[in-house]
Amino acid sequence: MEFVILAVTGLFAGIVGALVGLGGGVVLVPAALYFGITLGWVPGLTPQKIVGLSVIMMIFIGLSSTLSYMKSKTVDYRSGLIFFAGSIPGTVLGAYVNKGLDLPSFNLYFGILLIFLSVLLLVRKHLKPVRWFVEHGSTRTFTDPEGSVHNYGYPVWFAVMLTFIVGFASGLFGIGGGSIIVPAMILLFLFPPHVAVGTSMFMVFLSAIVNAASHISLGNVPWLYTLPVVPAAYIGAKVGAALNKRLNSETLVTALRIILLITGIRSIYEGIWG
């Protein structure tokens, strides 16, 4: 039964992660906490092992979706490499801080992060783009299939600082970082949405490799449970990337926002009173 639960969770994580550029960890981690630890349906899991499982999964979600976005030419490789470079030290630091967290502390801090992400997804459509970063940074251009030219950009120093924070959250909680970096890319750096998602998944793929190496060295990866999760997540990422080209993802984002909010509140409750 645990293999079925993990396979379904991995499939859904792959679809959501690739569709809106989140990486999938925001789906797998709370689901594994609930099914594995609260209900006891997946034996042997701890917060550290759940994070280890999530970062292994994100390598394959990132690879699968990046290959799809490469075909549609919506990956900014230069920006992705800059963001990746900034995230490396944060990712390693977050992985080592993770080993000192007990279950109540993990639930509390993870719940706070989920509520923050839910609010971020709620307000991002109501915030006005900030042009300061483009005007004071290196500028890039992208021509969409309709022939429209988009100008975007950022100061490299700010991008490195931001992705350090994103990397720390990724290493600490096993999330992909796209949930933070995609809104920033769209609102602050004026990335076209499809380029933001494609570039985010490229960064998720690269940073997940570093993240996984850190958690493997700490013994946090339950290798047996990667067997159902990885293939399901890879297939799900293919589906999510294909849907991204055809659908307006706002309906899914709305549902995800509600799920994150409810899960975050429950996680904080478990951390304080559980």
Side-chain angles (χ1 to χ4, degrees), residues 93-106:
L93 179 62
Y96 278 89
V97 172
N98 168 273
K99 67 179 182 179
L101 290 180
D102 56 17
L103 180 58
S105 298
F106 185 91

Side-chain angles (χ1 to χ4, degrees), residues 74-214:
T74 53
V75 178
D76 182 339
Y77 299 102
R78 178 178 178 274
S79 295
L81 290 172
I82 290 173
F83 298 162
F84 168 61
S87 70
I88 291 174
T91 297
V92 175
L93 179 62
Y96 278 89
V97 172
N98 168 273
K99 67 179 182 179
L101 290 180
D102 56 17
L103 180 58
S105 298
F106 185 91
N107 275 327
L108 175 61
Y109 299 138
F110 188 61
I112 293 172
L113 177 65
L114 290 181
I115 291 176
F116 168 75
L117 296 178
S118 175
V119 172
L120 189 62
L121 290 173
L122 173 66
V123 302
R124 70 173 185 173
K125 286 294 181 182
H126 305 285
L127 297 177
K128 293 182 178 180
V130 179
R131 301 202 63 86
W132 185 91
F133 295 96
V134 176
E135 294 168 354
H136 293 81
S138 57
T139 304
R140 312 277 289 167
T141 60
F142 172 74
T143 304
D144 62 27
E146 288 74 35
S148 300
V149 178
H150 303 266
N151 295 311
Y152 62 97
Y154 47 87
V156 173
W157 64 266
F158 182 83
V160 169
M161 288 177 56
L162 177 64
T163 51
F164 173 85
I165 297 172
V166 171
F168 179 78
S170 179
L172 184 61
F173 296 114
I175 64 171
S179 46
I180 302 173
I181 196 65
V182 169
M185 291 164 72
I186 294 172
L187 295 172
L188 302 182
F189 304 158
L190 306 188
F191 272 68
H194 289 305
V195 178
V197 172
T199 306
S200 167
M201 295 311 299
F202 177 54
M203 187 198 79
V204 165
F205 167 60
L206 296 177
S207 61
I209 295 174
V210 176
N211 205 354
S214 299

Side-chain angles (χ1 to χ4, degrees), residues 212-252:
S214 299
H215 283 283
I216 289 171
S217 69
L218 294 168
N220 289 346
V221 179
W223 292 107
L224 181 63
Y225 291 148
T226 64
L227 297 179
V229 168
V230 166
Y234 188 87
I235 294 170
K238 287 290 186 186
V239 174
L243 290 175
N244 177 273
K245 303 170 188 174
R246 302 176 185 177
L247 300 179
N248 184 329
S249 61
E250 283 309 304
T251 301
L252 181 60

